[in-house]
Amino acid sequence: MRQLPLGLGPAEPCSFDNFQAPGNEAVVAHLRALAIAPTAGAPVYLWGGRGTGKTHLLRAWTEAVSAPGGRVGWFDAATPLPWEHDEGWRGVVFDGVQTFDAGRQHAAFALFVQASGAGQQVLAAGTVPPVDLAVREDLRTRLGWGPVFHLQPLPEEHCRAALRREADRRGIFLSDEVMGYLMTRFERDLGSLMGLLDRLDRFALAQQRGVTIPLLKRMLAEEAL
Protein backbone atom coordinates (compact mmCIF):
# COMPACT_ATOMS: atom_id res chain seq x y z
CA MET A 1 0.00 0.00 0.00
CA ARG A 2 1.39 3.38 -0.96
CA GLN A 3 1.47 6.02 1.76
CA LEU A 4 -0.15 9.30 0.74
CA PRO A 5 2.03 12.35 1.42
CA LEU A 6 0.80 14.96 3.83
CA GLY A 7 0.29 18.52 2.60
CA LEU A 8 3.58 20.33 2.31
CA GLY A 9 2.19 23.69 3.37
CA PRO A 10 1.94 26.80 1.22
CA ALA A 11 4.71 27.60 -1.20
CA GLU A 12 6.80 30.68 -0.52
CA PRO A 13 4.82 33.68 -1.82
CA CYS A 14 6.18 35.36 -4.93
CA SER A 15 8.05 38.54 -4.06
CA PHE A 16 10.69 40.80 -5.54
CA ASP A 17 13.11 39.63 -2.86
CA ASN A 18 12.93 35.95 -3.85
CA PHE A 19 13.12 36.60 -7.59
CA GLN A 20 16.44 35.61 -9.13
CA ALA A 21 17.29 38.79 -11.03
CA PRO A 22 20.65 38.50 -12.88
CA GLY A 23 20.13 40.43 -16.11
CA ASN A 24 16.66 41.57 -15.03
CA GLU A 25 17.51 44.19 -12.42
CA ALA A 26 15.93 47.03 -14.42
CA VAL A 27 12.48 45.44 -14.62
CA VAL A 28 12.51 44.54 -10.90
CA ALA A 29 13.42 48.13 -9.98
CA HIS A 30 10.69 49.49 -12.27
CA LEU A 31 8.00 47.23 -10.84
CA ARG A 32 9.06 47.94 -7.26
CA ALA A 33 8.68 51.66 -7.93
CA LEU A 34 5.26 51.19 -9.53
CA ALA A 35 4.03 49.18 -6.54
CA ILE A 36 4.54 52.12 -4.19
CA ALA A 37 3.84 54.97 -6.62
CA PRO A 38 0.86 57.16 -5.64
CA THR A 39 -0.41 57.18 -9.21
CA ALA A 40 -0.36 54.74 -12.10
CA GLY A 41 2.38 54.84 -14.70
CA ALA A 42 2.34 53.75 -18.32
CA PRO A 43 1.30 50.14 -18.97
CA VAL A 44 4.11 47.60 -18.59
CA TYR A 45 4.60 44.50 -20.72
CA LEU A 46 6.94 41.61 -19.83
CA TRP A 47 7.97 38.97 -22.32
CA GLY A 48 10.27 35.98 -22.39
CA GLY A 49 10.44 32.24 -22.74
CA ARG A 50 9.09 29.62 -20.38
CA GLY A 51 10.44 29.82 -16.85
CA THR A 52 11.94 33.31 -17.13
CA GLY A 53 9.79 34.59 -14.26
CA LYS A 54 7.01 36.56 -15.95
CA THR A 55 4.23 35.25 -13.72
CA HIS A 56 6.47 35.48 -10.64
CA LEU A 57 7.05 39.19 -11.23
CA LEU A 58 3.38 39.88 -11.90
CA ARG A 59 2.47 38.09 -8.67
CA ALA A 60 5.27 39.88 -6.79
CA TRP A 61 3.85 43.23 -7.91
CA THR A 62 0.35 42.10 -6.93
CA GLU A 63 1.61 41.01 -3.49
CA ALA A 64 3.41 44.33 -2.99
CA VAL A 65 0.26 46.29 -3.89
CA SER A 66 -1.96 44.05 -1.76
CA ALA A 67 0.20 44.23 1.38
CA PRO A 68 -1.04 47.71 2.40
CA GLY A 69 -4.61 46.86 1.39
CA GLY A 70 -4.67 47.51 -2.34
CA ARG A 71 -6.64 45.26 -4.67
CA VAL A 72 -5.66 44.02 -8.11
CA GLY A 73 -7.69 42.38 -10.86
CA TRP A 74 -5.87 39.29 -12.19
CA PHE A 75 -6.84 37.75 -15.54
CA ASP A 76 -5.41 34.86 -17.55
CA ALA A 77 -6.66 32.26 -20.03
CA ALA A 78 -8.25 30.26 -17.18
CA THR A 79 -10.29 33.21 -15.84
CA PRO A 80 -13.93 32.59 -16.82
CA LEU A 81 -15.84 35.23 -18.74
CA PRO A 82 -17.33 37.78 -18.30
CA TRP A 83 -14.52 39.97 -16.97
CA GLU A 84 -15.92 42.80 -14.88
CA HIS A 85 -14.07 45.98 -14.02
CA ASP A 86 -13.84 47.24 -10.43
CA GLU A 87 -13.30 50.95 -9.74
CA GLY A 88 -11.61 50.05 -6.45
CA TRP A 89 -8.67 48.23 -8.00
CA ARG A 90 -5.15 49.63 -7.85
CA GLY A 91 -4.30 47.82 -11.05
CA VAL A 92 -5.13 45.14 -13.62
CA VAL A 93 -2.89 42.23 -14.61
CA PHE A 94 -3.10 40.13 -17.79
CA ASP A 95 -0.93 37.01 -17.71
CA GLY A 96 -0.20 34.82 -20.72
CA VAL A 97 -1.87 37.12 -23.23
CA GLN A 98 -0.67 34.99 -26.15
CA THR A 99 -3.15 32.32 -25.00
CA PHE A 100 -6.23 34.58 -24.91
CA ASP A 101 -9.02 33.45 -27.21
CA ALA A 102 -11.20 35.94 -29.10
CA GLY A 103 -13.59 36.42 -26.20
CA ARG A 104 -10.80 37.08 -23.71
CA GLN A 105 -9.03 39.42 -26.11
CA HIS A 106 -12.22 41.46 -26.36
CA ALA A 107 -12.59 41.44 -22.56
CA ALA A 108 -8.94 42.39 -22.03
CA PHE A 109 -9.24 45.33 -24.42
CA ALA A 110 -12.35 46.59 -22.63
CA LEU A 111 -10.69 46.23 -19.22
CA PHE A 112 -7.54 47.95 -20.48
CA VAL A 113 -9.57 50.97 -21.57
CA GLN A 114 -11.58 51.03 -18.33
CA ALA A 115 -8.51 50.66 -16.13
CA SER A 116 -6.61 53.38 -17.96
CA GLY A 117 -9.58 55.69 -17.68
CA ALA A 118 -9.81 55.02 -13.94
CA GLY A 119 -6.12 55.76 -13.38
CA GLN A 120 -5.25 52.13 -12.61
CA GLN A 121 -1.94 50.49 -13.40
CA VAL A 122 -1.93 47.89 -16.19
CA LEU A 123 0.62 45.07 -16.33
CA ALA A 124 0.73 42.24 -18.86
CA ALA A 125 2.99 39.38 -19.87
CA GLY A 126 3.42 37.05 -22.82
CA THR A 127 5.97 34.82 -24.50
CA VAL A 128 6.64 37.21 -27.40
CA PRO A 129 6.97 41.00 -27.72
CA PRO A 130 3.77 42.97 -28.38
CA VAL A 131 4.57 43.44 -32.06
CA ASP A 132 4.52 39.64 -32.54
CA LEU A 133 1.38 38.87 -30.52
CA ALA A 134 -1.34 37.12 -32.51
CA VAL A 135 -4.15 39.10 -30.87
CA ARG A 136 -6.56 41.78 -32.06
CA GLU A 137 -4.76 44.90 -33.26
CA ASP A 138 -6.26 47.37 -30.77
CA LEU A 139 -5.18 45.20 -27.83
CA ARG A 140 -1.74 44.51 -29.31
CA THR A 141 -0.94 48.19 -29.80
CA ARG A 142 -2.09 49.13 -26.31
CA LEU A 143 0.03 46.41 -24.71
CA GLY A 144 3.05 48.00 -26.38
CA TRP A 145 2.27 51.60 -25.36
CA GLY A 146 4.58 51.69 -22.35
CA PRO A 147 7.84 50.06 -21.23
CA VAL A 148 8.44 46.60 -22.67
CA PHE A 149 10.92 44.37 -20.82
CA HIS A 150 12.52 41.24 -22.24
CA LEU A 151 13.21 38.88 -19.32
CA GLN A 152 16.55 37.10 -19.55
CA PRO A 153 16.78 33.40 -18.63
CA LEU A 154 18.60 32.58 -15.41
CA PRO A 155 22.25 31.54 -15.92
CA GLU A 156 22.89 27.88 -15.06
CA GLU A 157 24.90 28.59 -11.92
CA HIS A 158 22.10 30.77 -10.52
CA CYS A 159 19.52 28.16 -11.51
CA ARG A 160 21.47 25.51 -9.59
CA ALA A 161 21.70 27.77 -6.56
CA ALA A 162 17.99 28.54 -6.62
CA LEU A 163 17.13 24.85 -6.93
CA ARG A 164 19.44 24.04 -4.02
CA ARG A 165 17.86 26.72 -1.84
CA GLU A 166 14.35 25.44 -2.55
CA ALA A 167 15.43 21.86 -1.82
CA ASP A 168 16.95 23.00 1.49
CA ARG A 169 13.74 24.88 2.34
CA ARG A 170 11.78 21.66 1.81
CA GLY A 171 14.27 19.57 3.77
CA ILE A 172 15.39 17.63 0.68
CA PHE A 173 18.98 16.53 0.32
CA LEU A 174 20.06 16.87 -3.32
CA SER A 175 23.36 15.13 -3.88
CA ASP A 176 25.73 16.46 -6.52
CA GLU A 177 24.87 13.36 -8.56
CA VAL A 178 21.13 14.11 -8.47
CA MET A 179 21.71 17.81 -9.17
CA GLY A 180 23.87 16.99 -12.17
CA TYR A 181 21.24 14.59 -13.48
CA LEU A 182 18.51 17.21 -13.15
CA MET A 183 20.57 19.88 -14.89
CA THR A 184 21.64 17.70 -17.82
CA ARG A 185 18.55 15.56 -18.54
CA PHE A 186 15.69 18.05 -18.21
CA GLU A 187 14.69 21.51 -19.36
CA ARG A 188 16.90 23.94 -17.49
CA ASP A 189 14.47 26.80 -17.03
CA LEU A 190 13.79 27.42 -13.36
CA GLY A 191 10.02 27.00 -13.61
CA SER A 192 10.31 23.48 -15.06
CA LEU A 193 12.96 22.46 -12.54
CA MET A 194 10.93 23.76 -9.58
CA GLY A 195 7.90 21.84 -10.83
CA LEU A 196 9.99 18.68 -11.13
CA LEU A 197 11.36 19.20 -7.62
CA ASP A 198 7.83 19.56 -6.25
CA ARG A 199 6.73 16.29 -7.88
CA LEU A 200 9.87 14.53 -6.70
CA ASP A 201 9.35 15.78 -3.15
CA ARG A 202 5.80 14.40 -3.05
CA PHE A 203 6.84 11.10 -4.60
CA ALA A 204 9.72 10.66 -2.14
CA LEU A 205 7.36 11.33 0.77
CA ALA A 206 4.87 8.79 -0.55
CA GLN A 207 7.61 6.18 -0.98
CA GLN A 208 9.33 7.12 2.31
CA ARG A 209 12.65 7.27 0.49
CA GLY A 210 15.41 9.79 0.05
CA VAL A 211 15.82 11.53 -3.29
CA THR A 212 18.06 9.48 -5.56
CA ILE A 213 18.43 9.01 -9.30
CA PRO A 214 16.72 5.58 -9.19
CA LEU A 215 13.79 7.14 -7.31
CA LEU A 216 13.56 9.92 -9.89
CA LYS A 217 13.57 7.39 -12.74
CA ARG A 218 10.86 5.38 -11.00
CA MET A 219 8.70 8.48 -10.60
CA LEU A 220 9.04 9.37 -14.26
CA ALA A 221 8.23 5.78 -15.29
CA GLU A 222 5.06 5.78 -13.18
CA GLU A 223 4.03 9.21 -14.55
CA ALA A 224 4.35 7.82 -18.09
CA LEU A 225 1.90 4.97 -17.42
Side-chain angles (χ1 to χ4, degrees):
M1 180 182 295
R2 178 181 299 176
Q3 178 178 336
L4 295 176
L6 297 175
L8 299 176
E12 186 178 11
C14 294
S15 72
F16 295 124
D17 289 337
N18 62 23
F19 178 73
Q20 306 299 312
N24 297 305
E25 292 83 359
V27 61
V28 173
H30 189 79
L31 293 180
R32 279 185 186 273
L34 284 180
I36 61 174
T39 58
V44 176
Y45 183 86
L46 314 178
W47 72 277
R50 179 180 176 183
T52 49
K54 301 180 296 297
T55 299
H56 184 115
L57 285 176
L58 293 180
R59 291 202 180 280
W61 184 83
T62 300
E63 290 286 337
V65 169
S66 300
R71 294 187 297 116
V72 174
W74 181 286
F75 301 90
D76 55 36
T79 307
L81 295 169
W83 292 357
E84 302 291 343
H85 180 252
D86 188 328
E87 292 285 346
W89 287 336
R90 276 279 315 279
V92 177
V93 171
F94 302 114
D95 192 23
V97 293
Q98 79 284 345
T99 62
F100 287 8
D101 59 20
R104 286 169 175 79
Q105 290 174 37
H106 176 79
F109 172 74
L111 277 177
F112 193 111
V113 172
Q114 291 170 305
S116 298
Q120 298 167 341
Q121 184 64 53
V122 178
L123 274 68
T127 55
V128 296
V131 67
D132 294 329
L133 279 172
V135 298
R136 51 188 285 171
E137 180 68 11
D138 49 9
L139 176 61
R140 186 183 65 77
T141 56
R142 279 167 175 77
L143 290 173
W145 269 358
V148 174
F149 293 95
H150 181 197
L151 297 187
Q152 302 302 312
L154 200 62
E156 181 176 329
E157 63 272 20
H158 292 276
C159 198
R160 282 177 177 266
L163 194 62
R164 182 80 71 186
R165 281 193 296 273
E166 178 60 16
D168 290 345
R169 188 184 74 83
R170 291 170 174 262
I172 303 172
F173 172 68
L174 285 185
S175 67
D176 291 340
E177 183 182 25
V178 171
M179 179 67 79
Y181 193 88
L182 292 173
M183 297 301 298
T184 57
R185 305 297 180 90
F186 301 94
E187 292 185 73
R188 284 188 285 180
D189 67 86
L190 192 56
S192 296
L193 287 170
M194 288 298 187
L196 179 60
L197 181 65
D198 180 66
R199 285 151 46 209
L200 186 55
D201 187 11
R202 293 179 181 277
F203 189 77
L205 282 172
Q207 300 295 322
Q208 296 185 302
R209 296 287 188 274
V211 173
T212 61
I213 292 177
L215 184 81
L216 173 59
K217 290 180 176 179
R218 181 178 172 187
M219 181 193 78
L220 295 172
E222 291 194 11
E223 289 180 346
L225 294 177

